């Protein structure tokens, strides 16, 4: 990887709306999760008797809200923003100027991966810290030993989604393929993980795990295999994308 | 010496042959125009030359690996200034004394005072910046795809002046469908149509290859007998008599010249004017493409 190109990727994320939108979504949701969890039962109670028994909110609800918003907001934005990582540069023509300099296709693609993963990681860490802080603000308790494993497992799911979307963008002419695969992972794979026997080894299991773990309906040992498989699959997808990108006609 | 050697290169997209058995030698230091109508295979050839696509068959060899490329629609990072973009290009290539070089290139591209974001640039400015970025690596070979096609006359003139100034310092191979530009700056040209090379050579060679021409003739007395005598010659295609002038279309300008002088001498006429209208590249291009 060329450091200068990597630096350009980071500057690009800071200077263009894409980076800001993603960071603001990460921060925005983590700022409101705790408040939403805390006041939703009270707001619903104001509508009168809805025929459902709403238990008082606990700090667990704040974290459940965090994962829900990650799934329905932030990770959708990740797909939309990164599905054109390479295809956008091909379409704009910037890739032709860069690749005719002293840089290999591997260097070029590696810069994209590293910058995207670093940006996602930093944003996720910031969002996680804010989440804990806001939970502490709205609830008397804010931490349990189930929080950290859940964070890490969901982080890996996010990385898997991000890298698969970038891999599609590097491998195919259309950004639509990245979008299709990304939304499949985000929306369908959690249901695939419910398939008896084999489902628990699939990447989708990582999306369901944090909430189940918080609710004490899952054991950490149950997810280890899925974590290993997802990590291996992610590296394989990245590797294959390098091979495909090197052979791809631009 | 040859800078770029293209031998029997073919490229197909499904059933469409974009480039068919192309063989071309581009001399070192030449400014080579690659002419053809839209869809002739020019961009495919340039992408083959720059390695962005691979030929189905044939070989391409270049004298140097120091090549640069400017696509037909150059894309830049719009949030950067031209200096920032050139700095990025210089850093990627580990250019020594980059600031000095960037200053020179911005001056050359007439962009030194344009310290605003690239996203606000006109097409002409983008094209000039495109050439500047291509030159930052001091390439031995510069490929340009339709560098002036989308520009207004002023923008075209500026870019062509830049190319002229670079002439001799490197081998420049540029595609275009604008004949006047090739005639204006190039010393060599090739014409491609439907993926096939039609003709190639120096501009003089190309224009002289077309032997047909128009001769304007004025003599002391133009009679119907003289006209029919000229028309009867095999080398003559058509004679038009207008305002004491004869406009004679001929198949072969060399042979026609000798024949016409013989006729004038036989008829004891005084020759006032003999003007051979030379064929320009446009005639060559039109004939090649229509064929």
């Amino acid at each position: 990887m060329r450091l200068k190109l990597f630096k350009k990727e980071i500057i690009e994320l800071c200077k263009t709306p894409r980076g800001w939108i993603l960071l603001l979504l990460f921060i925005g949701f983590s700022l409101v999760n705790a408040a939403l969890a805390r006041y939703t039962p009270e707001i619903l109670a104001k509508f009168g008797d809805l025929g459902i028994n709403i238990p008082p909110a606990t700090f667990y609800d704040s974290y459940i809200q965090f994962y829900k918003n990650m799934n329905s907001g932030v990770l959708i934005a990740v797909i939309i923003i990164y599905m054109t990582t390479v295809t956008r540069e091909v379409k704009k023509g910037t890739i032709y100027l860069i690749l005719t300099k002293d840089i290999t296709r591997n260097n070029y693609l590696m810069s994209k991966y590293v910058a995207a993963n670093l940006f996602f990681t930093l944003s996720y860490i910031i969002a996680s810290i804010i989440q804990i802080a806001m939970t502490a603000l709205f609830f008397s308790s804010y931490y349990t030993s189930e929080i950290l494993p859940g964070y890490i497992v969901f982080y890996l799911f996010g990385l898997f989604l991000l890298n698969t979307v970038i891999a599609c963008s590097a491998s195919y002419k259309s950004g639509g393929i990245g979008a299709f695969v990304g939304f499949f992972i985000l929306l369908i794979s959690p249901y695939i993980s419910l398939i008896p026997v084999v489902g628990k080894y699939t990447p989708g299991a990582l999306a369901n795990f944090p909430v189940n773990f918080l609710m004490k309906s899952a054991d950490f040992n149950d997810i280890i295999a899925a974590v290993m498989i997802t990590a291996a699959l992610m590296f394989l997808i990245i590797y294959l994308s390098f091979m495909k990108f090197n052979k791809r006609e631009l | 010496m040859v800078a770029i050697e293209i031998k029997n290169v073919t490229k197909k997209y499904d059933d469409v042959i974009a480039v068919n058995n192309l063989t071309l030698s581009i001399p070192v230091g030449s400014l080579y125009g690659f002419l053809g109508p839209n869809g002739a295979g020019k961009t495919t050839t340039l992408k083959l030359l720059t390695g962005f696509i691979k030929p189905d068959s044939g070989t391409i060899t270049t004298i140097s690996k120091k090549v640069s490329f400017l696509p037909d629609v150059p894309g830049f990072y719009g949030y950067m200034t031209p200096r920032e973009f050139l700095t990025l290009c210089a850093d990627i290539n580990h250019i020594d004394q980059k600031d000095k070089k960037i200053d020179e290139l911005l001056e050359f591209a007439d962009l030194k005072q344009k310290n605003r974001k690239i996203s606000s640039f006109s097409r002409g400015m983008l094209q000039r910046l495109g050439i500047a970025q291509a030159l930052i690596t001091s390439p031995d070979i510069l490929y340009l795809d339709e560098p002036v096609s989308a520009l207004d006359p002023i923008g075209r003139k500026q870019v062509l002046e830049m190319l002229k100034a670079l002439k001799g310092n490197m081998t420049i191979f540029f595609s275009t469908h604008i004949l006047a530009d090739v005639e204006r700056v190039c010393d060599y040209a090739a014409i491609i149509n439907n993926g096939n090379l039609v003709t190639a050579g120096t501009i003089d060679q190309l224009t002289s290859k077309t032997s047909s021409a128009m001769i304007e003739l004025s003599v002391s007395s133009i009679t119907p007998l003289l006209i029919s005598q000229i028309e009867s010659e095999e080398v003559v295609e058509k004679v038009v008599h207008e305002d004491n002038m004869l406009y004679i279309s001929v198949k072969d300008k060399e042979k026609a010249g000798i024949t016409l002088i013989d006729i004038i001498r036989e008829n004891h006429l005084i020759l006032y004017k003999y003007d051979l209208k030379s064929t320009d590249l446009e005639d060559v291009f039109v004939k090649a493409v229509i064929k």
Side-chain angles (χ1 to χ4, degrees):
Chain A
M1 184 187 66
R2 286 287 174 80
L3 208 60
K4 296 291 179 184
L5 205 57
F6 165 72
K7 193 177 142 193
K8 173 244 143 195
E9 294 296 333
I10 295 294
I11 291 170
E12 189 166 300
L13 281 167
C14 298
K15 282 197 172 180
T16 58
R18 279 176 287 131
W20 284 108
I21 288 169
L22 195 57
L23 188 62
L24 286 174
L25 281 173
F26 264 111
I27 293 172
F29 279 123
S30 52
L31 281 171
V32 299
N33 290 326
L36 271 174
R38 171 74 181 77
Y39 295 112
T40 299
E42 288 178 25
I43 293 164
L44 289 175
K46 286 194 174 161
F47 286 104
D49 187 10
L50 297 173
I52 45 169
N53 183 25
I54 304 163
T58 68
F59 78 97
Y60 286 95
D61 296 310
S62 170
Y63 290 100
I64 290 167
Q65 194 67 44
F66 173 77
Y67 293 119
K68 273 185 187 168
N69 283 337
M70 277 283 169
N71 264 320
S72 60
V74 178
L75 292 188
I76 288 175
V78 165
I79 295 171
I80 293 167
I81 287 167
Y82 286 102
M83 69 187 214
T84 55
T85 302
V86 176
T87 52
R88 184 178 57 242
E89 292 229 21
V90 176
K91 200 174 171 189
K92 268 184 76 180
T94 44
I95 198 167
Y96 299 108
L97 304 188
I98 297 297
L99 289 182
T100 42
K101 302 292 177 295
D102 184 19
I103 191 158
T104 63
R105 290 193 184 196
N106 283 344
N107 285 156
Y108 172 84
L109 190 55
M110 185 59 89
S111 304
K112 297 272 179 202
Y113 273 119
V114 174
N117 278 272
L118 187 70
F119 192 78
F120 180 85
T121 303
L122 288 174
S123 304
Y124 188 81
I125 290 170
I126 291 167
S128 301
I129 293 168
I130 293 172
Q131 173 64 28
I132 293 170
M134 295 306 287
T135 305
L137 194 69
F138 284 94
F139 295 93
S140 52
S141 301
Y142 63 92
Y143 193 77
T144 163
S145 58
E146 284 88 13
I147 302 292
L148 191 61
Y151 266 163
I152 293 169
V153 169
F154 196 80
Y155 167 65
L156 181 61
F157 179 71
L159 285 189
F160 176 72
L161 177 77
L162 170 73
N163 288 308
T164 306
V165 169
I166 296 174
C168 290
S169 175
S171 307
Y172 300 101
K173 278 184 182 173
S174 165
I177 293 170
F180 177 79
V181 173
F183 281 110
F184 180 85
I185 291 169
L186 188 62
L187 305 174
I188 310 295
S189 74
Y191 293 101
I192 292 173
S193 73
L194 301 175
I195 296 170
V197 188
V198 291
K200 64 180 180 179
Y201 302 113
T202 60
L206 272 60
N208 295 334
F209 174 79
V211 172
N212 293 339
F213 193 54
L214 271 176
M215 309 289 284
K216 306 204 191 305
S217 58
D219 189 83
F220 189 70
N221 290 328
D222 295 341
I223 201 67
I224 291 174
V227 165
M228 306 284 273
I229 288 167
T230 303
L233 196 58
M234 182 174 77
F235 286 114
L236 179 68
I237 288 169
I238 292 171
Y239 174 73
L240 291 175
S241 75
F242 274 94
M243 288 182 67
K244 187 101 193 298
F245 184 60
N246 272 301
K247 289 181 183 167
R248 185 176 156 186
E249 297 204 327
L250 295 170
Chain B
M1 208 196 302
V2 173
I4 309 159
E5 187 82 60
I6 306 169
K7 274 188 184 167
N8 308 110
V9 166
T10 296
K11 179 69 187 172
K12 288 181 193 169
Y13 292 109
D14 299 323
D15 291 337
V16 179
I17 301 173
V19 175
N20 187 24
N21 204 27
L22 178 67
T23 296
L24 204 56
S25 295
I26 289 103
V28 168
S30 60
L31 181 43
Y32 207 109
F34 194 49
L35 272 164
N38 292 332
K42 301 188 295 293
T43 297
T44 304
T45 303
L46 275 158
K47 284 194 172 182
L48 286 163
L49 288 167
T50 45
F52 285 111
I53 56 174
K54 300 266 180 285
D56 296 322
S57 61
T59 56
I60 296 167
T61 41
T62 53
I63 198 169
S64 167
K65 288 202 183 304
K66 282 179 76 182
V67 300
S68 267
F69 175 51
L70 179 66
D72 52 347
V73 185
F76 297 94
Y77 303 111
Y79 57 87
M80 289 183 179
T81 64
R83 182 174 291 279
E84 285 170 343
F85 186 75
L86 292 180
T87 304
L88 170 71
C89 296
D91 285 340
I92 292 172
N93 270 62
H94 309 290
I95 304 287
D96 292 332
Q97 295 182 301
K98 64 175 181 186
D99 291 334
K100 188 175 167 240
K101 180 131 196 180
I102 290 166
D103 279 337
E104 285 168 6
L105 286 171
L106 288 172
E107 184 86 50
F108 179 61
D110 194 22
L111 294 171
K112 205 162 185 184
Q113 307 306 319
K114 307 290 186 287
N115 202 29
R116 57 182 205 249
K117 284 184 180 177
I118 297 172
S119 56
S120 67
F121 275 22
S122 68
R123 278 301 297 268
M125 289 159 80
L126 290 175
Q127 212 63 269
R128 296 200 311 271
L129 177 60
I131 293 175
Q133 67 78 33
L135 296 175
I136 197 133
T137 56
S138 307
D140 293 324
I141 300 170
L142 176 59
Y143 297 114
L144 306 159
D145 190 7
E146 304 264 7
V148 291
S149 299
L151 303 182
D152 59 27
I154 295 166
R156 266 176 64 192
K157 188 173 183 290
Q158 286 173 319
V159 170
L160 289 172
E161 289 302 321
M162 286 177 85
L163 296 184
K164 244 177 167 173
L166 294 169
K167 209 171 181 174
N169 295 327
M170 62 191 70
T171 307
I172 304 173
F173 184 83
F174 84 93
S175 71
T176 182
H177 61 263
I178 303 170
L179 298 151
D181 296 340
V182 171
E183 282 193 302
R184 200 151 134 192
V185 296
C186 291
D187 29 31
Y188 290 83
I191 298 173
I192 187 173
N193 190 32
N194 293 327
N196 295 297
L197 181 71
V198 179
T199 185
T202 64
I203 302 295
D204 288 343
Q205 281 170 347
L206 290 179
T207 49
S208 65
K209 262 185 193 172
T210 302
S211 51
S212 63
M214 168 75 76
I215 294 169
E216 289 180 15
L217 190 70
S218 175
V219 289
S220 47
S221 170
I222 298 174
T223 60
L225 187 67
L226 176 70
I227 293 170
S228 63
Q229 195 179 348
I230 293 171
E231 278 176 336
S232 66
E233 292 296 331
E234 200 182 318
V235 76
V236 173
E237 283 179 332
K238 194 179 172 190
V239 181
V240 175
H241 181 203
E242 213 175 274
D243 300 332
N244 292 325
M245 289 286 290
L246 291 174
Y247 298 93
I248 308 161
S249 301
V250 296
K251 292 174 194 162
D252 185 325
K253 59 192 172 198
E254 310 287 334
K255 282 184 189 168
I258 297 164
T259 307
L260 290 172
I261 296 298
D262 284 347
I263 292 171
I264 292 164
R265 199 181 290 133
E266 279 169 24
N267 289 282
H268 306 289
L269 297 170
I270 301 163
L271 178 64
Y272 294 145
K273 187 182 178 187
Y274 180 93
D275 191 4
L276 177 66
K277 293 286 175 197
S278 61
T279 311
D280 61 13
L281 201 55
E282 189 163 347
D283 298 321
V284 179
F285 181 76
V286 170
K287 278 190 178 172
V289 170
I290 289 171
K291 222 191 280 175

